[in-house]
Amino acid sequence: MARQATYDRDKVLKSAMDLFWAKGFHATSLKDLENALDMRPGSIYAAFGSKEGLYAEALRLYSGRTQAGLAEVMAKGGSKLKGIADYIRLLGGQNRAEVPSRACMLVKTILEMPDDDPNLRGLAEDLIDQMEAALTEVLRQAQNEGELPTSADPMRLAGQIQTQLIGLRAYAQRIHAEGRVAQVAEDIAQGIEALSVKAA
Amino acid sequence: MARQATYDRDKVLKSAMDLFWAKGFHATSLKDLENALDMRPGSIYAAFGSKEGLYAEALRLYSGRTQAGLAEVMAKGGSKLKGIADYIRLLGGQNRAEVPSRACMLVKTILEMPDDDPNLRGLAEDLIDQMEAALTEVLRQAQNEGELPTSADPMRLAGQIQTQLIGLRAYAQRIHAEGRVAQVAEDIAQGIEALSVKAA
DNA sequence: CTCAAATTTGAGTGATCGCTCAAAATATAT
DNA sequence: ATATATTTTGAGCGATCACTCAAATTTGAG
């Protein structure tokens, strides 16, 4: 009956995510998006409603991929704490060239959008809360498996780890810090492994 | 011979700092600045050259105040490690209402400006390097005073603390995290105090 | 092939961006 | 007062912003 869209929605969203992740919301113009997505404004608006709507979709994609990334490392089995530690080593070892930005897109969003922004700011906070909840869940499992002492507080620990994760990735965004990131990541990773009852 | 400027440069810069700190570079328009500084564009440009120039000045002011803040806490004498720990507790205990943003303005700048920005991004990195150097120096003093073990590496430790500081403040920027910030700060502070040879 | 439904296009919308500069206003010196 | 030096003002510059929409294009159905 009708024409079908020529673009691949997933690929387009991935391109938008990369661009927004690298440049942020305000510094990314529609001209930039037209180039990156190879779409004209009419199509972009038909597909996503607004620049903000597109950013929101890109954020959700980012969040999903990030959580999948953690899950993937955890799925290798073995110690939960080692899994978290390895995930941090993974982030610490990323090459600047292979990623749009070393900092977390959720954090970049939270820092860029004003406190009273009802949409993107709120969404980013919700998604980062999800990430922290996932971390809490893994720690609870570690506790159930006897790896983490029963005296430990998974929620509290998740907050500490989340803070260090956020810090590490913002730290790594600095060009100057290039050489020091892996060491900082390693220190964080070892701190987590040291929580194990089997450790030292 | 001539008219003298009616504005107080220090006060104006403070206002610009507060506004930029809260809203970031891109989201702050000249209209916003005209209102906040109570100055018309001609005067602003005569005084600071450009929006970017004004931001740079504001960033330098921020950096100076931040370093002074650390120095002030340290000047109370006593243990260096306790000083750093108290500085972190101070940041953790800040009220959202009393500060333009809970996140560090230097970090916000680094995350907002593109990697290849030669001006503001480079400046922010230089200034945050200074902060880390100041931290390193305090740790070296702690070592000289026998508080920190000779086996410790002040530079490496400074990187860890800097990472946690950055993380804490970005974590605290979240509205949702409001109630959890003080605890995260306390955990970081205790971790630093635990470095002392006199500790446990 | 013809028609209908959907998508793509890109020129053009009003608004706002950072910024300029000639004119007006003001302070100081004589 | 007058003259001179400096600052302040704000209308308005070209550029760019996010976004719209009528026309052109493309597809599938009958």
Side-chain angles (χ1 to χ4, degrees):
Chain A
M1 267 247 279
R3 187 179 178 182
Q4 64 183 354
T6 58
Y7 60 86
D8 178 332
R9 199 170 208 275
D10 289 343
K11 282 183 183 172
V12 159
L13 261 179
K14 169 70 161 57
S15 300
M17 182 193 82
D18 284 351
L19 187 60
F20 277 134
W21 186 5
K23 303 192 61 172
F25 181 77
H26 289 106
T28 301
S29 72
L30 246 105
K31 276 270 175 301
D32 294 333
L33 286 165
E34 289 175 40
N35 293 334
L37 311 188
D38 191 26
M39 287 172 75
R40 261 35 65 198
S43 299
I44 297 176
Y45 280 83
F48 303 103
S50 66
K51 181 187 172 186
E52 185 177 275
L54 176 53
Y55 191 97
E57 283 289 311
L59 250 193
R60 273 184 266 261
L61 175 62
Y62 174 86
S63 174
R65 283 172 161 243
T66 303
Q67 280 189 246
L70 175 62
E72 191 182 333
V73 174
M74 299 309 303
K76 293 196 174 144
S79 155
K80 301 293 182 200
L81 293 180
K82 175 93 169 26
I84 296 177
D86 281 347
Y87 180 68
I88 283 167
R89 289 189 181 94
L90 183 75
L91 288 175
Q94 271 174 342
N95 188 319
R96 180 172 293 277
E98 72 198 30
V99 85
S101 164
R102 297 212 54 178
C104 171
M105 188 179 174
L106 298 173
V107 172
K108 289 187 75 167
T109 305
I110 289 168
L111 295 200
E112 184 181 355
M113 308 308 290
D115 283 359
D116 53 12
D117 178 284
N119 299 324
L120 297 182
R121 173 66 179 273
L123 175 60
E125 293 211 21
D126 287 344
L127 294 173
I128 209 168
D129 283 353
Q130 277 183 28
M131 188 70 193
E132 194 166 331
L135 220 47
T136 307
E137 180 52 30
V138 173
L139 291 168
R140 249 192 286 268
Q141 288 170 15
Q143 206 166 36
N144 288 340
E145 294 169 9
E147 188 185 5
L148 193 64
T150 50
S151 61
D153 177 349
M155 273 191 63
R156 183 168 180 170
L157 265 180
Q160 287 178 51
I161 294 171
Q162 176 92 300
T163 300
Q164 294 194 91
L165 255 171
I166 291 171
L168 171 68
R169 299 184 68 184
Y171 192 96
Q173 173 88 340
R174 296 158 53 199
I175 308 273
H176 292 175
E178 195 81 47
R180 311 198 51 200
V181 177
Q183 188 181 60
V184 172
E186 183 58 34
D187 288 339
I188 297 171
Q190 287 182 14
I192 291 167
E193 286 170 343
L195 295 171
S196 171
V197 293
K198 300 156 196 161
Chain B
M1 268 242 284
R3 190 176 175 183
Q4 65 182 355
T6 58
Y7 60 85
D8 179 331
R9 198 169 210 273
D10 289 343
K11 283 183 183 171
V12 160
L13 261 179
K14 169 68 162 56
S15 301
M17 181 193 82
D18 285 350
L19 186 60
F20 276 134
W21 185 3
K23 303 194 61 172
F25 181 76
H26 288 106
T28 301
S29 72
L30 246 102
K31 276 270 174 297
D32 293 332
L33 287 166
E34 289 174 42
N35 293 335
L37 311 188
D38 191 28
M39 287 171 75
R40 260 37 64 197
S43 297
I44 296 175
Y45 280 82
F48 302 103
S50 67
K51 183 187 172 187
E52 183 177 276
L54 176 54
Y55 192 97
E57 284 287 313
L59 205 55
R60 271 184 267 262
L61 174 62
Y62 173 86
S63 173
R65 281 173 162 245
T66 303
Q67 281 189 247
L70 174 62
E72 191 182 333
V73 175
M74 299 310 301
K76 293 196 173 147
S79 155
K80 302 293 181 200
L81 293 180
K82 174 89 166 27
I84 296 176
D86 281 347
Y87 181 67
I88 285 168
R89 289 189 182 95
L90 183 73
L91 289 176
Q94 273 174 341
N95 187 318
R96 181 172 291 277
E98 73 198 30
V99 86
S101 164
R102 297 212 54 175
C104 171
M105 187 180 174
L106 298 172
V107 172
K108 289 187 75 167
T109 305
I110 288 168
L111 295 199
E112 183 181 355
M113 307 308 290
D115 283 1
D116 54 12
D117 177 286
N119 297 324
L120 296 183
R121 173 68 178 272
L123 175 60
E125 294 212 20
D126 287 344
L127 294 173
I128 210 167
D129 284 353
Q130 277 183 29
M131 189 69 193
E132 192 165 333
L135 220 47
T136 307
E137 180 52 31
V138 172
L139 291 168
R140 248 193 286 269
Q141 288 170 15
Q143 206 166 36
N144 289 340
E145 294 169 8
E147 189 186 3
L148 193 64
T150 51
S151 61
D153 177 348
M155 272 189 64
R156 183 167 178 171
L157 264 181
Q160 288 180 49
I161 294 171
Q162 176 92 300
T163 300
Q164 295 195 90
L165 256 171
I166 291 170
L168 170 68
R169 299 185 66 184
Y171 192 95
Q173 173 88 340
R174 296 158 53 199
I175 307 274
H176 293 177
E178 196 81 47
R180 311 198 50 202
V181 177
Q183 188 181 61
V184 172
E186 183 57 35
D187 288 339
I188 298 171
Q190 286 181 14
I192 291 167
E193 287 170 344
L195 295 170
S196 171
V197 293
K198 300 158 195 161

